[in-house]
PDB file of all heavy atoms in Angstrom:
ATOM      1  N   VAL A   1       0.830  -1.217  -0.017  1.00 97.00           N
ATOM      2  CA  VAL A   1      -0.022  -0.015  -0.013  1.00 97.00           C
ATOM      3  C   VAL A   1       0.863   1.298  -0.018  1.00 97.00           C
ATOM      4  O   VAL A   1       0.508   2.297  -0.564  1.00 97.00           O
ATOM      5  CB  VAL A   1      -1.014   0.034   1.169  1.00 97.00           C
ATOM      6  CG1 VAL A   1      -0.332   0.132   2.500  1.00 97.00           C
ATOM      7  CG2 VAL A   1      -2.050   1.105   0.984  1.00 97.00           C
ATOM      8  N   VAL A   2       2.058   1.235   0.577  1.00 97.00           N
ATOM      9  CA  VAL A   2       2.928   2.417   0.552  1.00 97.00           C
ATOM     10  C   VAL A   2       3.334   2.671  -0.892  1.00 97.00           C
ATOM     11  O   VAL A   2       3.303   3.798  -1.359  1.00 97.00           O
ATOM     12  CB  VAL A   2       4.160   2.253   1.475  1.00 97.00           C
ATOM     13  CG1 VAL A   2       5.135   3.370   1.292  1.00 97.00           C
ATOM     14  CG2 VAL A   2       3.707   2.109   2.914  1.00 97.00           C
ATOM     15  N   TYR A   3       3.727   1.606  -1.599  1.00 96.00           N
ATOM     16  CA  TYR A   3       4.099   1.777  -3.010  1.00 96.00           C
ATOM     17  C   TYR A   3       2.893   2.264  -3.848  1.00 96.00           C
ATOM     18  O   TYR A   3       3.073   3.122  -4.675  1.00 96.00           O
ATOM     19  CB  TYR A   3       4.566   0.416  -3.599  1.00 96.00           C
ATOM     20  CG  TYR A   3       5.874  -0.091  -2.964  1.00 96.00           C
ATOM     21  CD1 TYR A   3       5.875  -1.192  -2.147  1.00 96.00           C
ATOM     22  CD2 TYR A   3       7.076   0.544  -3.250  1.00 96.00           C
ATOM     23  CE1 TYR A   3       7.007  -1.711  -1.564  1.00 96.00           C
ATOM     24  CE2 TYR A   3       8.246   0.112  -2.619  1.00 96.00           C
ATOM     25  CZ  TYR A   3       8.239  -1.015  -1.859  1.00 96.00           C
ATOM     26  OH  TYR A   3       9.337  -1.513  -1.282  1.00 96.00           O
ATOM     27  N   GLN A   4       1.719   1.752  -3.570  1.00 96.00           N
ATOM     28  CA  GLN A   4       0.574   2.206  -4.304  1.00 96.00           C
ATOM     29  C   GLN A   4       0.298   3.711  -4.044  1.00 96.00           C
ATOM     30  O   GLN A   4      -0.062   4.438  -4.977  1.00 96.00           O
ATOM     31  CB  GLN A   4      -0.647   1.379  -3.923  1.00 96.00           C
ATOM     32  CG  GLN A   4      -0.623  -0.037  -4.357  1.00 96.00           C
ATOM     33  CD  GLN A   4      -1.737  -0.897  -3.773  1.00 96.00           C
ATOM     34  OE1 GLN A   4      -1.959  -0.875  -2.565  1.00 96.00           O
ATOM     35  NE2 GLN A   4      -2.446  -1.626  -4.636  1.00 96.00           N
ATOM     36  N   ALA A   5       0.400   4.130  -2.797  1.00 97.00           N
ATOM     37  CA  ALA A   5       0.167   5.497  -2.477  1.00 97.00           C
ATOM     38  C   ALA A   5       1.201   6.422  -3.100  1.00 97.00           C
ATOM     39  O   ALA A   5       0.805   7.422  -3.732  1.00 97.00           O
ATOM     40  CB  ALA A   5       0.210   5.701  -0.930  1.00 97.00           C
ATOM     41  N   LEU A   6       2.452   6.075  -3.005  1.00 97.00           N
ATOM     42  CA  LEU A   6       3.552   6.864  -3.577  1.00 97.00           C
ATOM     43  C   LEU A   6       3.347   6.997  -5.070  1.00 97.00           C
ATOM     44  O   LEU A   6       3.509   8.052  -5.684  1.00 97.00           O
ATOM     45  CB  LEU A   6       4.888   6.401  -3.169  1.00 97.00           C
ATOM     46  CG  LEU A   6       5.198   6.397  -1.648  1.00 97.00           C
ATOM     47  CD1 LEU A   6       6.567   5.771  -1.357  1.00 97.00           C
ATOM     48  CD2 LEU A   6       5.095   7.780  -1.057  1.00 97.00           C
ATOM     49  N   ALA A   7       3.028   5.872  -5.740  1.00 96.00           N
ATOM     50  CA  ALA A   7       2.840   5.857  -7.176  1.00 96.00           C
ATOM     51  C   ALA A   7       1.705   6.718  -7.618  1.00 96.00           C
ATOM     52  O   ALA A   7       1.743   7.236  -8.745  1.00 96.00           O
ATOM     53  CB  ALA A   7       2.652   4.391  -7.694  1.00 96.00           C
ATOM     54  N   THR A   8       0.704   6.895  -6.814  1.00 96.00           N
ATOM     55  CA  THR A   8      -0.448   7.717  -7.164  1.00 96.00           C
ATOM     56  C   THR A   8      -0.248   9.139  -6.655  1.00 96.00           C
ATOM     57  O   THR A   8      -1.181   9.960  -6.708  1.00 96.00           O
ATOM     58  CB  THR A   8      -1.766   7.138  -6.659  1.00 96.00           C
ATOM     59  OG1 THR A   8      -1.699   6.919  -5.313  1.00 96.00           O
ATOM     60  CG2 THR A   8      -2.087   5.843  -7.409  1.00 96.00           C
ATOM     61  N   GLY A   9       0.952   9.474  -6.108  1.00 97.00           N
ATOM     62  CA  GLY A   9       1.212  10.781  -5.630  1.00 97.00           C
ATOM     63  C   GLY A   9       0.517  11.152  -4.337  1.00 97.00           C
ATOM     64  O   GLY A   9       0.138  12.355  -4.101  1.00 97.00           O
ATOM     65  N   LYS A  10       0.346  10.208  -3.461  1.00 98.00           N
ATOM     66  CA  LYS A  10      -0.344  10.483  -2.170  1.00 98.00           C
ATOM     67  C   LYS A  10       0.725  10.368  -1.087  1.00 98.00           C
ATOM     68  O   LYS A  10       1.381   9.360  -0.926  1.00 98.00           O
ATOM     69  CB  LYS A  10      -1.444   9.475  -1.909  1.00 98.00           C
ATOM     70  CG  LYS A  10      -2.549   9.498  -2.963  1.00 98.00           C
ATOM     71  CD  LYS A  10      -3.198  10.856  -3.108  1.00 98.00           C
ATOM     72  CE  LYS A  10      -4.163  10.848  -4.258  1.00 98.00           C
ATOM     73  NZ  LYS A  10      -4.786  12.120  -4.477  1.00 98.00           N
ATOM     74  N   PRO A  11       0.749  11.402  -0.234  1.00 98.00           N
ATOM     75  CA  PRO A  11       1.593  11.341   0.984  1.00 98.00           C
ATOM     76  C   PRO A  11       1.133  10.194   1.886  1.00 98.00           C
ATOM     77  O   PRO A  11      -0.076   9.858   1.905  1.00 98.00           O
ATOM     78  CB  PRO A  11       1.407  12.624   1.658  1.00 98.00           C
ATOM     79  CG  PRO A  11       0.845  13.534   0.625  1.00 98.00           C
ATOM     80  CD  PRO A  11       0.075  12.660  -0.318  1.00 98.00           C
ATOM     81  N   VAL A  12       2.047   9.617   2.692  1.00 98.00           N
ATOM     82  CA  VAL A  12       1.738   8.516   3.556  1.00 98.00           C
ATOM     83  C   VAL A  12       2.016   8.922   4.993  1.00 98.00           C
ATOM     84  O   VAL A  12       3.078   9.479   5.238  1.00 98.00           O
ATOM     85  CB  VAL A  12       2.571   7.286   3.178  1.00 98.00           C
ATOM     86  CG1 VAL A  12       2.363   6.181   4.164  1.00 98.00           C
ATOM     87  CG2 VAL A  12       2.273   6.845   1.798  1.00 98.00           C
ATOM     88  N   VAL A  13       1.125   8.629   5.861  1.00 98.00           N
ATOM     89  CA  VAL A  13       1.357   8.742   7.290  1.00 98.00           C
ATOM     90  C   VAL A  13       1.479   7.289   7.748  1.00 98.00           C
ATOM     91  O   VAL A  13       0.497   6.557   7.665  1.00 98.00           O
ATOM     92  CB  VAL A  13       0.208   9.454   8.039  1.00 98.00           C
ATOM     93  CG1 VAL A  13       0.407   9.363   9.594  1.00 98.00           C
ATOM     94  CG2 VAL A  13       0.093  10.905   7.608  1.00 98.00           C
ATOM     95  N   GLY A  14       2.686   6.929   8.184  1.00 98.00           N
ATOM     96  CA  GLY A  14       2.960   5.494   8.476  1.00 98.00           C
ATOM     97  C   GLY A  14       3.605   5.290   9.847  1.00 98.00           C
ATOM     98  O   GLY A  14       4.292   6.160  10.321  1.00 98.00           O
ATOM     99  N   SER A  15       3.440   4.135  10.302  1.00 98.00           N
ATOM    100  CA  SER A  15       4.067   3.723  11.604  1.00 98.00           C
ATOM    101  C   SER A  15       5.575   3.627  11.424  1.00 98.00           C
ATOM    102  O   SER A  15       6.093   3.203  10.387  1.00 98.00           O
ATOM    103  CB  SER A  15       3.588   2.319  12.060  1.00 98.00           C
ATOM    104  OG  SER A  15       2.223   2.414  12.385  1.00 98.00           O
ATOM    105  N   ASN A  16       6.293   4.084  12.382  1.00 98.00           N
ATOM    106  CA  ASN A  16       7.732   4.064  12.402  1.00 98.00           C
ATOM    107  C   ASN A  16       8.184   2.646  12.889  1.00 98.00           C
ATOM    108  O   ASN A  16       8.721   2.519  13.942  1.00 98.00           O
ATOM    109  CB  ASN A  16       8.299   5.150  13.330  1.00 98.00           C
ATOM    110  CG  ASN A  16       9.753   5.342  13.140  1.00 98.00           C
ATOM    111  OD1 ASN A  16      10.398   4.768  12.240  1.00 98.00           O
ATOM    112  ND2 ASN A  16      10.340   6.126  14.042  1.00 98.00           N
ATOM    113  N   ILE A  17       7.959   1.696  11.987  1.00 98.00           N
ATOM    114  CA  ILE A  17       8.290   0.279  12.303  1.00 98.00           C
ATOM    115  C   ILE A  17       8.547  -0.506  11.075  1.00 98.00           C
ATOM    116  O   ILE A  17       7.985  -0.154  10.000  1.00 98.00           O
ATOM    117  CB  ILE A  17       7.063  -0.334  13.139  1.00 98.00           C
ATOM    118  CG1 ILE A  17       7.503  -1.695  13.828  1.00 98.00           C
ATOM    119  CG2 ILE A  17       5.846  -0.461  12.327  1.00 98.00           C
ATOM    120  CD1 ILE A  17       6.520  -2.218  14.843  1.00 98.00           C
ATOM    121  N   GLY A  18       9.336  -1.553  11.158  1.00 97.00           N
ATOM    122  CA  GLY A  18       9.643  -2.352  10.029  1.00 97.00           C
ATOM    123  C   GLY A  18      10.205  -1.589   8.842  1.00 97.00           C
ATOM    124  O   GLY A  18      11.070  -0.747   9.025  1.00 97.00           O
ATOM    125  N   GLY A  19       9.774  -1.914   7.667  1.00 96.00           N
ATOM    126  CA  GLY A  19      10.266  -1.270   6.433  1.00 96.00           C
ATOM    127  C   GLY A  19       9.598   0.013   6.066  1.00 96.00           C
ATOM    128  O   GLY A  19       9.998   0.715   5.163  1.00 96.00           O
ATOM    129  N   ILE A  20       8.557   0.393   6.830  1.00 98.00           N
ATOM    130  CA  ILE A  20       7.826   1.631   6.544  1.00 98.00           C
ATOM    131  C   ILE A  20       8.718   2.857   6.525  1.00 98.00           C
ATOM    132  O   ILE A  20       8.651   3.673   5.608  1.00 98.00           O
ATOM    133  CB  ILE A  20       6.549   1.754   7.405  1.00 98.00           C
ATOM    134  CG1 ILE A  20       5.644   0.633   7.215  1.00 98.00           C
ATOM    135  CG2 ILE A  20       5.905   3.129   7.203  1.00 98.00           C
ATOM    136  CD1 ILE A  20       4.480   0.495   8.184  1.00 98.00           C
ATOM    137  N   PRO A  21       9.567   3.013   7.553  1.00 97.00           N
ATOM    138  CA  PRO A  21      10.448   4.242   7.541  1.00 97.00           C
ATOM    139  C   PRO A  21      11.437   4.259   6.426  1.00 97.00           C
ATOM    140  O   PRO A  21      11.946   5.364   6.084  1.00 97.00           O
ATOM    141  CB  PRO A  21      11.148   4.263   8.903  1.00 97.00           C
ATOM    142  CG  PRO A  21      10.607   3.070   9.694  1.00 97.00           C
ATOM    143  CD  PRO A  21       9.664   2.269   8.762  1.00 97.00           C
ATOM    144  N   ASP A  22      11.753   3.097   5.818  1.00 95.00           N
ATOM    145  CA  ASP A  22      12.603   3.133   4.667  1.00 95.00           C
ATOM    146  C   ASP A  22      11.916   3.658   3.437  1.00 95.00           C
ATOM    147  O   ASP A  22      12.562   4.133   2.493  1.00 95.00           O
ATOM    148  CB  ASP A  22      13.110   1.688   4.322  1.00 95.00           C
ATOM    149  CG  ASP A  22      13.962   1.104   5.431  1.00 95.00           C
ATOM    150  OD1 ASP A  22      14.633   1.910   6.150  1.00 95.00           O
ATOM    151  OD2 ASP A  22      13.977  -0.104   5.603  1.00 95.00           O
ATOM    152  N   LEU A  23      10.573   3.631   3.425  1.00 96.00           N
ATOM    153  CA  LEU A  23       9.825   4.081   2.237  1.00 96.00           C
ATOM    154  C   LEU A  23       9.213   5.454   2.438  1.00 96.00           C
ATOM    155  O   LEU A  23       9.046   6.220   1.473  1.00 96.00           O
ATOM    156  CB  LEU A  23       8.665   3.012   1.993  1.00 96.00           C
ATOM    157  CG  LEU A  23       9.139   1.664   1.646  1.00 96.00           C
ATOM    158  CD1 LEU A  23       7.930   0.675   1.588  1.00 96.00           C
ATOM    159  CD2 LEU A  23       9.932   1.605   0.360  1.00 96.00           C
ATOM    160  N   VAL A  24       8.809   5.790   3.655  1.00 97.00           N
ATOM    161  CA  VAL A  24       8.186   7.084   3.952  1.00 97.00           C
ATOM    162  C   VAL A  24       9.267   7.994   4.463  1.00 97.00           C
ATOM    163  O   VAL A  24       9.737   7.864   5.556  1.00 97.00           O
ATOM    164  CB  VAL A  24       7.011   6.933   4.944  1.00 97.00           C
ATOM    165  CG1 VAL A  24       6.407   8.256   5.222  1.00 97.00           C
ATOM    166  CG2 VAL A  24       5.997   5.913   4.451  1.00 97.00           C
ATOM    167  N   THR A  25       9.598   8.987   3.684  1.00 92.00           N
ATOM    168  CA  THR A  25      10.636   9.920   4.063  1.00 92.00           C
ATOM    169  C   THR A  25      10.012  11.244   4.451  1.00 92.00           C
ATOM    170  O   THR A  25       8.826  11.404   4.304  1.00 92.00           O
ATOM    171  CB  THR A  25      11.602  10.196   2.845  1.00 92.00           C
ATOM    172  OG1 THR A  25      10.899  10.837   1.838  1.00 92.00           O
ATOM    173  CG2 THR A  25      12.159   8.871   2.327  1.00 92.00           C
ATOM    174  N   GLU A  26      10.840  12.152   4.893  1.00 91.00           N
ATOM    175  CA  GLU A  26      10.336  13.496   5.277  1.00 91.00           C
ATOM    176  C   GLU A  26       9.646  14.158   4.123  1.00 91.00           C
ATOM    177  O   GLU A  26       8.720  14.932   4.342  1.00 91.00           O
ATOM    178  CB  GLU A  26      11.469  14.305   5.878  1.00 91.00           C
ATOM    179  CG  GLU A  26      11.038  15.506   6.601  1.00 91.00           C
ATOM    180  CD  GLU A  26      12.177  16.165   7.309  1.00 91.00           C
ATOM    181  OE1 GLU A  26      12.894  15.496   8.092  1.00 91.00           O
ATOM    182  OE2 GLU A  26      12.385  17.398   7.119  1.00 91.00           O
ATOM    183  N   GLY A  27      10.115  13.877   2.947  1.00 95.00           N
ATOM    184  CA  GLY A  27       9.522  14.529   1.762  1.00 95.00           C
ATOM    185  C   GLY A  27       8.258  13.868   1.245  1.00 95.00           C
ATOM    186  O   GLY A  27       7.490  14.456   0.478  1.00 95.00           O
ATOM    187  N   THR A  28       8.012  12.584   1.613  1.00 97.00           N
ATOM    188  CA  THR A  28       6.858  11.876   1.099  1.00 97.00           C
ATOM    189  C   THR A  28       5.754  11.545   2.100  1.00 97.00           C
ATOM    190  O   THR A  28       4.768  10.967   1.744  1.00 97.00           O
ATOM    191  CB  THR A  28       7.257  10.592   0.416  1.00 97.00           C
ATOM    192  OG1 THR A  28       7.907   9.782   1.419  1.00 97.00           O
ATOM    193  CG2 THR A  28       8.295  10.816  -0.710  1.00 97.00           C
TER     194      THR A  28
END
C-alpha cells in the first residue's frame, strides 16, 4: 500500500516500524 500510495502521488502517514520508515521519508 505504501508503493501504491506513492505511485499515485499520495503522501503517507505511516508507523515508524519495520520497512515503513525506509519508504516514507520526510519529503513523502
Side-chain angles (χ1 to χ4, degrees):
V1 67
V2 174
Y3 295 109
Q4 291 171 310
L6 298 176
T8 55
K10 301 301 176 181
V12 175
V13 174
S15 294
N16 191 10
I17 193 170
I20 296 169
D22 294 332
L23 300 172
V24 179
T25 66
E26 196 170 306
T28 62

